[in-house]
Amino acid sequence: MNATTADTTSGTAPDPGRIVLLTTSHRVAPGLLSWPAWQVLRGADRVLCADGAHPQLPYLREAGIRVDEAAPTAEELVAACAGGHTVVVVATGEGDPALTDRLARLAGSGRVRMPDLELLPASYDLPGARLLDLVQVMDRIRAECPWSSRRTHEGLAKYAIEEAYELVEAIEDGDREELREELGDVLLQVVFHARIAEEDPDAPFSVDDVAGTIVDKLIHRHPHVFGDETASTPEEVREHWLRTKAAEKRRTSVTEGVPLGQPGLALAAKLASRVRTAGLRVPLPSGEGVGYELLALAARAEAEGTDPEAALRAAARAYRDAIREAEGTGG
């Protein structure tokens, strides 16, 4: 007489067992599993995985865990657990939704005494993990897309400008959904250019190099956060930033590093800011025409703490709204 029969004749229902769906993140190195996951794997009666190429399998087997390559149905899983057995299913990248849906329907039918069902995340995404997905997607697009595979830094430059302006517009509109999307478009430009840079025959670099450079820069320019300096006001922070930046760049002129291709008001304000920060006394050039008038206005705005470019954009938006109202298309 087997155990199941004995339980039935004694009036005690057999233990239906336990099903554990083990999920892992492909953004975490294989084999780096949580301690509860290792405990469940070592104590399971069976470990199953439908994907024979699952990246976790070599590490599980190296740890002495037998994994059977099988894709059981929900009914087969329930039967395998009968008698108090624990069956662990190592989920594929998609999480085996067909299996979980079938188990849910089976449980809802009321016809079957179901095992305990447990979802156990064995590894978790860290903040920023989806950036790894973006890099992988960009790698594939660069390799397989007829348009993207032919792009160059020079050919993409205009898109970086366009996306930056669209981001500014989303900020000014206060549209949170649009802001999130436009931030993604700007981020795409960074990843796209970094992917192209990997192919340079003379001076290649990757997105990791880009990230590493900005991390080093941020740490170096924030000695009050990562070092022994102190700063209790935004002004003191700015002093640290300018001092470390000057030491890094070793510029011979305050005008170095000011991009001349930026919008005129922003350019004028940036030059005025450099002059003021350096403590130089450089009078504004005198001349006839609206250009000199705008230069004086931009310098005055910068001295008063106003971004002249943003101020003009706000005024222009108000002008646009007035035009639409006059046309009867406002709102």
Side-chain angles (χ1 to χ4, degrees), residues 3 9 12 22 24 32 84 92 103 122 129 133 150 223 231 234 247 260 274 279 300 317-318 329:
T9 57
T12 302
L22 196 74
T24 58
L32 297 179
T92 61
L103 284 169
D133 289 346
R150 292 173 172 81
L260 298 180
R274 287 286 183 90
R300 190 186 84 189
R317 290 165 70 86
T329 60

Side-chain angles (χ1 to χ4, degrees), residues 22-34:
L22 196 74
T23 60
T24 58
S25 171
H26 65 277
R27 305 177 192 95
V28 176
L32 297 179
L33 306 181
S34 65

Side-chain angles (χ1 to χ4, degrees), residues 38-172:
W38 283 115
Q39 287 181 307
V40 167
L41 287 165
R42 293 187 182 280
D45 295 289
R46 290 192 70 187
V47 179
L48 309 176
C49 183
D51 181 8
H54 196 294
Q56 297 288 350
L57 296 191
Y59 298 90
L60 297 182
R61 289 168 176 154
E62 185 177 351
I65 296 170
R66 175 181 172 179
V67 182
D68 297 327
E69 294 179 22
T73 64
E75 291 79 2
E76 290 171 339
L77 264 182
V78 170
C81 292
H85 296 119
T86 295
V87 177
V88 175
V89 178
V90 180
T92 61
E94 293 75 26
D96 295 327
L99 176 61
T100 54
D101 288 347
R102 179 56 185 161
L103 284 169
R105 287 196 297 270
L106 199 60
S109 70
R111 298 192 304 268
V112 179
R113 188 177 179 212
M114 294 292 293
D116 291 334
L117 302 178
E118 179 182 348
L119 176 65
L120 178 59
S123 57
Y124 301 84
D125 288 343
L126 296 174
R130 292 307 301 272
L131 294 175
L132 300 177
D133 289 346
L134 176 58
V135 172
Q136 291 177 349
V137 168
M138 191 67 251
D139 280 343
R140 183 168 179 180
I141 290 175
R142 179 65 174 175
E144 300 180 18
C145 174
W147 186 87
S148 299
S149 62
R150 292 173 172 81
R151 295 309 98 190
T152 63
H153 293 302
E154 293 75 13
L156 288 177
K158 64 178 182 180
Y159 298 109
I161 297 173
E162 290 175 5
E163 298 299 353
Y165 275 119
E166 290 179 8
L167 172 60
V168 171
E169 185 171 355
I171 293 172
E172 292 174 345

